[in-house]
DNA sequence: GTGAAAGCGCTAACAA
DNA sequence: TTGTTAGCGCTTTCAC
């Protein structure tokens, strides 16, 4: 294995010259330059990353902590993050916790060991004491789609969940729906809170009251949608539409409609949230709120780097706009609404 | 930031004692032990990963190279790999190439810099010269779902693609289908070759000839399925079933059937390959060949580690069995087949 | 059982 | 411009 010293020897210069030349902070005489290039070529020199890290202080690695890669939203976020990071010559260390306390701790240990230059936390509450410690020690962290009240001085980036939910719900009320159900996510997540707030606000603006027993929640998974459907359909208010705070719950819900003998959007309109790749191929194609995943990931990477570069940089909070993508899963209600029916 | 030396000083022992104690290769007197533990606690000592790597030689990181995380199969493979790696106290460095030559090279550079202990290559041809160099230099590599003729001495692991395709196709012919179309993947991939071979073999066993113009190919993506469908339906042989070598093409195909006025499985039976999470929620639920993703990932990790531990260990080839999962997308053909019809 | 000392391969003052 | 010299924090012979 070739080292810097070998190259230096072969090129008859000092190691530091090679080091600085290779890192581009040195312009030297053509002759010397050629000799070094030759040596690198011939000896097939590849700088040792570990040594670089120890000496240089930075690792060139960003940690990406997320609950679960089998959720396509996180998967595409991870993809986008890796892509954005590569643009800065950084790589991603994947930390999928699967919501297991043990996994989380193992990863936190590894991460706290200065194995990464910064951390991107997504889709989960970072109520980790060791993480808090690491942050206090100066580890740059950015939280995606969550607000951390407990941990100050952390940058955050998220989409405008409130607005997205508002747009989706208003779209449904605008279509003439007077009773719109809601299927959300885990109560502790900020995304859930904001989306629910947006839903409620849109209902209020349309002069419709919310009904607590028309609002369901569970993990952002297909099963949540599957199990919510029968309860929606048998509800006395007879909702004609449902806003799902995740494409995956919408997908689950859609998969169950046949069994219950209803058609979408004929009997029930459905709007999702995320614009996952797959919902372009469901039947009917899902109307949904698009999250700008690439921008979210790129923004997250930029925010960490901002603090990697300048430890004294203050934390920032970014909110990205979302967009309603109209497809085929929502339509006006079949029968004209009867006044007062939602209150019957 | 606390270092080993700080701990040693606080515990009034030498750095080497602390080092060996912490790495578990030393049993020392209760009193000393307590002092060290105290010091670690109080000083919040966390060993520096970079230093460990430089001195110890191993990085604790496995590189995972795949084309694209937005393909759910790769995503869940990545998830499973991270999980398996964590079990060995290893983390995963994510390298999503997006089939871009440039990305691949960037990653290869990073990887060749001994930034990882080993490499898991999945879903793509590793025809990378620098990679070949790294392998020659002793970097342990395992290829998932591909056979590398060019690169010897590399371990491989894959599912039994031939058998899976064979089972799927035989299931269809067993149902009474006399004309079964095939929608496959990129011709250069081993998975495609093997699945096509399995399909052909099953057709042969059923006494049915293959028809080249009934075999389609393209990326393992939804669009491939979407565009194959009309060509299948208008084919003179009037296929009553189709085997898709990927769930995603099957999904695309399924999404297009309404437009073309056919029903599944009434008019057309469909079988996929992968058993992606999402196909449990399509309508109809997809009958498909299940890939044992967790076992595949765990096996891949084990294979790399085998060679990390013992550089002289010979390469191994593992093949995992697959299983046909019968759901609702395939049924006997509507009309009894007419003899000779497939040749008309 | 414990310690001293020599690196691992690189970067970055500081000189020259 | 280029070279010299210390380390970065840890592991690991090798003595004691």
């Amino acid at each position: 294995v070739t080292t810097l010293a070998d190259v230096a020897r072969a090129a008859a210069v000092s190691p530091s010259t090679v080091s600085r030349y290779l890192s581009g902070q040195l312009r030297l005489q053509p002759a010397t330059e050629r000799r070094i290039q030759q040596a690198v070529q011939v000896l097939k020199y590849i700088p040792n990353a570990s040594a670089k890290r120890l000496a240089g202080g930075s690792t060139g690695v960003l940690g990406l902590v997320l609950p679960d890669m089998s959720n396509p939203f996180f998967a595409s976020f991870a993809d986008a993050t890796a892509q954005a990071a590569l643009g800065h010559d950084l790589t991603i260390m994947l930390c999928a916790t699967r919501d297991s306390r043990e996994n989380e701790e193992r990863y936190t240990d590894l991460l706290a060991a200065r194995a990464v230059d910064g951390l991107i936390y997504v889709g989960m509450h970072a109520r980790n004491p060791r993480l808090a410690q690491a942050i206090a020690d100066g580890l740059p962290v950015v939280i995606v789609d969550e607000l951390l009240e407990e941990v100050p001085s952390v940058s955050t980036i998220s989409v405008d969940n409130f607005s997205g939910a508002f747009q989706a719900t208003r779209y449904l009320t605008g279509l003439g729906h007077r009773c719109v159900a809601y299927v959300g996510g885990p109560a502790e997540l900020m995304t859930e809170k904001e989306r629910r707030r947006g839903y409620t606000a849109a209902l209020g603006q349309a002069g419709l009251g919310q009904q607590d027993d028309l609002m369901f929640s569970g993990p952002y998974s297909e099963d949540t949608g599957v199990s919510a459907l029968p309860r929606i359909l048998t509800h006395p208010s007879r909702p004609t539409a449902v806003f799902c705070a995740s494409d995956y719950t919408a997908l689950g819900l859609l998969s169950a409609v046949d069994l219950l003998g209803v058609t979408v959007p004929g009997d029930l309109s459905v709007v999702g949230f995320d614009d996952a790749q797959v919902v372009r191929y469901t039947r009917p194609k899902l109307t949904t709120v698009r999250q700008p995943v690439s921008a979210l990931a790129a923004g997250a990477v930029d925010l960490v780097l901002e603090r990697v570069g300048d430890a004294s940089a203050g934390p920032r909070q970014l909110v990205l706009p979302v967009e309603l993508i109209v497809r085929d899963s929502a339509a006006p209600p079949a029968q004209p609404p009867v006044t007062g029916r939602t209150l019957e």
Side-chain angles (χ1 to χ4, degrees), chain A residues 230-249:
Chain A
R231 296 199 277 156
I232 291 172
L233 294 177
T234 58
H235 192 277
S237 303
R238 303 206 132 259
T240 55
V242 51
F243 166 52
C244 294
S246 155
D247 277 357
Y248 310 105
T249 54

Side-chain angles (χ1 to χ4, degrees), chain A residues 5-325:
Chain A
D6 297 331
V7 175
R9 211 170 302 124
V13 291
S14 83
S16 60
T17 302
V18 180
S19 171
R20 279 173 294 178
Y21 168 67
L22 256 27
S23 66
Q25 41 173 303
L26 194 61
R27 187 167 48 236
L28 31 74
Q29 303 181 323
T32 328
E33 182 167 358
R34 275 206 51 73
R35 287 212 312 282
I36 295 185
Q37 287 184 332
Q38 287 271 307
V40 168
Q41 285 274 309
V42 175
L43 300 174
K44 297 186 210 278
Y45 170 66
I46 297 173
N48 180 309
S50 302
K52 226 170 191 159
R53 290 173 190 189
L54 218 211
S58 99
T59 65
V61 180
L62 254 33
L64 174 61
V65 186
L66 35 72
D68 186 0
M69 289 277 299
S70 42
N71 178 323
F73 175 73
F74 293 134
S76 69
F77 183 83
D79 194 57
T81 306
Q83 197 61 26
L86 195 58
H88 298 274
D89 273 312
L90 298 169
T91 56
I92 290 297
M93 176 169 143
L94 220 203
C95 310
T97 65
R98 292 200 174 177
D99 286 323
S100 134
R101 193 100 201 88
E102 192 201 337
N103 285 351
E104 252 181 82
E105 287 183 3
R106 282 181 116 131
Y107 275 129
T108 311
D109 282 352
L110 294 166
L111 295 166
R114 291 154 199 72
V116 296
D117 291 342
L119 227 53
I120 298 176
Y121 241 85
V122 44
M124 50 194 298
H125 241 59
R127 25 77 229 231
N128 193 316
R130 304 203 214 185
L131 178 68
Q133 173 64 41
I135 296 175
D137 285 353
L139 183 68
V141 170
V142 48
I143 310 274
V144 179
D145 261 350
E146 276 304 317
L147 259 25
L148 260 324
E149 304 81 19
E150 316 99 65
V151 190
S153 84
V154 172
S155 292
T156 63
I157 184 170
S158 70
V159 299
D160 193 340
N161 290 292
F162 173 83
S163 163
F166 186 89
Q167 286 178 54
T169 310
R170 192 183 52 190
Y171 174 68
L172 288 169
T173 60
L175 245 25
H177 295 279
R178 313 303 297 164
C179 181
V180 180
Y182 174 81
V183 183
E188 68 276 16
L189 294 186
M190 187 267 260
T191 50
E192 158 64 9
K193 289 180 197 145
E194 287 295 288
R195 291 173 197 178
R196 182 180 288 238
R197 207 163 63 76
Y199 158 80
T200 306
L203 245 39
Q205 200 206 42
L208 304 169
Q210 66 178 88
Q211 290 178 268
D212 287 344
D213 57 351
L214 230 38
M215 294 160 69
F216 303 89
S217 66
Y220 284 135
S221 69
E222 288 91 345
D223 278 337
T224 301
V226 171
S227 56
L229 184 62
R231 296 199 277 156
I232 291 172
L233 294 177
T234 58
H235 192 277
S237 303
R238 303 206 132 259
T240 55
V242 51
F243 166 52
C244 294
S246 155
D247 277 357
Y248 310 105
T249 54
L251 195 64
L253 196 146
L254 242 35
S255 78
V257 296
D258 287 342
L259 278 170
L260 297 177
V262 318
T263 63
V264 173
D267 303 318
L268 187 72
S269 284
V270 179
V271 175
F273 202 111
D274 285 344
D275 193 31
Q277 167 82 11
V278 64
V279 302
R280 269 160 250 190
Y281 298 95
T282 56
R283 288 182 293 152
K285 295 183 182 57
L286 192 68
T287 289
T288 191
V289 178
R290 173 174 299 169
Q291 298 216 48
V293 180
S294 298
L296 201 58
V301 170
D302 287 344
L303 284 179
V304 222
L305 290 185
E306 208 169 277
R307 312 204 70 197
V308 169
D310 174 12
S312 68
R316 293 205 295 147
Q317 328 296 331
L318 251 47
V319 176
L320 268 33
V322 294
E323 180 190 2
L324 181 72
I325 305 292

